[in-house]
């Protein structure tokens, strides 16, 4: 069955989306980070359908989205003073916190872990959909597993048409990369996934924060991971992607010397002129927020071109740039060439 397309400009949009969710359906919803594929967190059958629609491995837990702090109480066993400080500072926003989970949270949501990931999104449409559904919503990114996350309703449609009940079109996402994930069940708190709430901001507020090794390094086969999502090859375009770490001049020289008609370059905007291959841009070099916003759309554009090899210029791994770097090295399967 074709997926229903709902525009937020439709006066009944929220009511329709809320109704589908209440009845155990799946709706892709806009958030400030990326589009999420939402289901009622308390409905195990509905949550199981998320894994089927995405082709998501069962051992990869979901993030639960709330629209007020009262909803947090039934999801968690304990809310520490550190959690309260983070919530006061960064919620609503693109920070996901890992809490000890309450017994009521279905195992399918947390993939059998004793913890639950929760986020209070700032996007007003996301908040209103949660309110209309009358329940927290379990929602991973609304892409087919392994594909770049969706930052527009069109991206969701490309991946999931016919597999979910509806997509609510609220325009392009502001942030463009998935939320920062911080584990509060360990001491010091551990950054499992970088996002728009930066490592630097967390460190300034909390003092000590550890960066999980999986943020910047491949996970060893069979190794233990704090965040199961980090295990999988992710965000990958169909072509081989290689990251080049060096100056603009070094990047252009390398790409131009190693190109064929099937090569493309993923570069910062304004840097196209030095390259003799087809280019797709993703924000300017000084603008890490712009890079984050454009990254997944750029990876999807590259999929639409007939190329077998993509050379991407390596971003600075600071600020939101750490999130961009984290996604790109996964898309590249950790293939980085240092030109320095
Ligand atoms: P997605 O919503 O598609 O961005 O995926 C959710 C991400 O959060 C994945 O990387 C998960 O591994 C991670 N995650 C969700 N719940 C937990 C949890 N309880 N502990 C650690 N990581 C989690
Ligand atoms: Mg995802």
């Amino acid at each position: 069955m074709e997926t229903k397309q709902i525009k937020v400009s439709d006066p009944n949009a929220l009511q329709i989306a809320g109704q589908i969710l209440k009845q155990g359906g799946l709706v892709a919803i806009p958030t400030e980070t990326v589009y999420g594929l939402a289901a009622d967190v308390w409905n195990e059958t509905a949550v199981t359908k998320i894994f089927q629609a995405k082709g998501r491995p069962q051992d990869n837990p979901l993030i639960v989205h709330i629209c007020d702090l009262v909803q947090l109480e039934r999801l968690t066993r304990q809310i520490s003073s550190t959690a309260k400080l983070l919530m006061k500072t960064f919620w609503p926003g693109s920070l996901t916190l890992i809490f000890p989970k309450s017994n009521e949270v279905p195992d399918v949501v947390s993939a059998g872990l004793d913890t639950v990931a929760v986020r209070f999104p700032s996007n007003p449409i996301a908040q209103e959909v949660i309110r209309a559904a009358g329940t927290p919503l379990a929602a991973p990114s609304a892409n087919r597993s392994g594909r770049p996350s969706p930052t527009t309703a069109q991206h969701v449609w490309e991946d999931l048409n016919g597999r979910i009940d509806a997509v609510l079109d609220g325009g392009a996402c502001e942030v463009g990369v998935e939320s920062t994930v911080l584990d509060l069940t360990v001491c010091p708190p551990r950054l499992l996934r970088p996002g728009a709430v930066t490592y630097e901001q967390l460190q300034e507020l909390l003092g000590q924060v550890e960066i999980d090794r999986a943020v910047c390094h491949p996970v060893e086969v069979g190794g233990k991971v704090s965040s199961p999502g980090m295990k999988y090859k992710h965000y990958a375009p169909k072509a081989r992607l290689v990251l080049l770490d060096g100056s603009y001049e070094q990047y252009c020289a390398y790409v131009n010397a190693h190109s064929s008609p099937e090569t493309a370059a993923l570069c910062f905007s304004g840097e196209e002129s030095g390259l003799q291959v087809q280019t797709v841009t993703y924000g300017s070099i000084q603008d890490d927020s712009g890079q984050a916003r454009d990254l997944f759309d750029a990876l999807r554009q590259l999929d639409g071109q007939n190329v077998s090899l993509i050379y991407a210029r390596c971003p600075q791994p600071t600020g939101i740039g750490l999130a961009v770097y984290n996604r790109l090295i996964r898309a590249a399967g950790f293939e980085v060439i240092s030109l320095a």
Side-chain angles (χ1 to χ4, degrees):
M1 206 183 62
E2 183 150 290
T3 296
K4 187 193 274 291
Q5 298 188 65
I6 312 168
K7 293 259 181 225
V8 284
S9 53
D10 177 340
N12 298 319
L14 293 168
Q15 199 218 332
I16 297 167
Q19 200 57 36
I20 297 171
L21 289 160
K22 278 183 181 166
Q23 288 167 356
L26 302 187
V27 182
I29 63 168
T31 82
E32 69 276 21
T33 57
V34 301
Y35 273 73
L37 181 57
D40 175 356
V41 71
W42 308 118
N43 184 333
E44 264 191 78
T45 314
V47 175
T48 303
K49 286 195 290 189
I50 292 179
F51 288 85
Q52 289 161 354
K54 282 179 58 81
R56 185 177 177 98
Q58 291 282 349
D59 69 348
N60 194 1
L62 309 179
I63 295 172
V64 184
H65 292 69
I66 59 175
C67 67
D68 59 47
L69 296 183
V70 177
Q71 290 185 326
L72 185 61
E73 287 166 20
R74 200 176 150 196
L75 294 163
T76 58
R77 281 200 310 278
Q78 188 216 343
I79 304 169
S80 66
S81 55
T82 306
K84 285 182 185 148
L85 177 63
L86 286 159
M87 285 153 53
K88 198 165 146 240
T89 312
F90 295 113
W91 278 8
S94 54
L95 176 66
T96 295
L97 298 173
I98 311 281
F99 295 92
K101 102 178 166 85
S102 79
N103 292 333
E104 283 189 81
V105 177
D107 275 345
V108 60
V109 172
S110 55
L113 297 174
D114 193 32
T115 54
V116 62
V118 185
R119 183 165 96 82
F120 182 165
S122 65
N123 181 310
I125 301 161
Q127 293 180 5
E128 284 174 36
V129 176
I130 301 167
R131 215 164 285 129
T135 171
L137 300 174
S141 51
N143 51 315
R144 285 296 283 261
S145 231
R147 293 264 294 147
S149 290
T151 55
T152 65
Q154 177 61 33
H155 294 165
V156 176
W157 184 259
E158 285 164 18
D159 278 16
L160 297 176
N161 179 26
R163 305 179 71 88
I164 62 176
D165 296 290
V167 52
L168 179 59
D169 186 348
C173 301
E174 265 169 70
V175 173
V177 289
E178 306 86 340
S179 58
T180 304
V181 178
L182 187 70
D183 188 353
L184 296 177
T185 66
V186 290
C187 191
R190 179 175 298 192
L191 182 70
L192 301 183
R193 180 174 72 185
V197 172
T198 65
Y199 169 68
E200 292 85 347
Q201 285 176 301
L202 294 170
Q203 213 185 21
E204 190 180 324
L205 185 72
L206 302 180
Q208 216 188 344
V209 176
E210 246 172 46
I211 301 183
D212 196 83
R213 193 182 143 75
V215 168
C216 294
H217 300 94
V219 173
E220 287 149 39
V221 177
K224 185 180 174 324
V225 271
S226 309
S227 183
M230 288 292 174
K231 255 189 340 206
Y232 300 103
K233 180 156 173 165
H234 239 111
Y235 318 116
K238 290 168 196 142
R240 174 176 161 220
L241 178 75
V242 179
L243 272 187
L244 300 179
D245 190 7
S247 68
Y248 173 56
E249 289 72 24
Q250 288 167 327
Y251 174 69
C252 292
Y254 188 95
V255 172
N256 293 335
H258 294 81
S259 67
S260 79
E262 285 187 17
T263 309
L266 175 62
C267 63
F268 299 125
S269 48
E271 299 197 338
E272 305 91 319
S273 59
L275 294 157
Q276 293 155 12
V277 297
Q278 45 188 320
T279 56
V280 171
T281 58
Y282 74 113
S284 70
I285 188 156
Q286 312 85 348
D287 178 16
D288 57 3
S289 300
Q291 293 164 22
R293 194 191 53 231
D294 295 347
L295 177 69
F296 288 136
D297 184 66
L299 291 176
R300 282 177 183 258
Q301 281 180 49
L302 286 160
D303 258 352
Q305 301 184 355
N306 216 356
V307 294
S308 56
L309 177 61
I310 302 160
Y311 287 121
R313 179 126 127 81
C314 199
Q316 276 293 326
T318 54
I320 302 178
L322 181 63
V324 177
Y325 177 74
N326 167 270
R327 307 312 189 270
L328 263 180
I329 47 166
R330 284 187 158 64
F334 294 92
E335 197 175 347
V336 184
I337 297 176
S338 174
L339 304 178

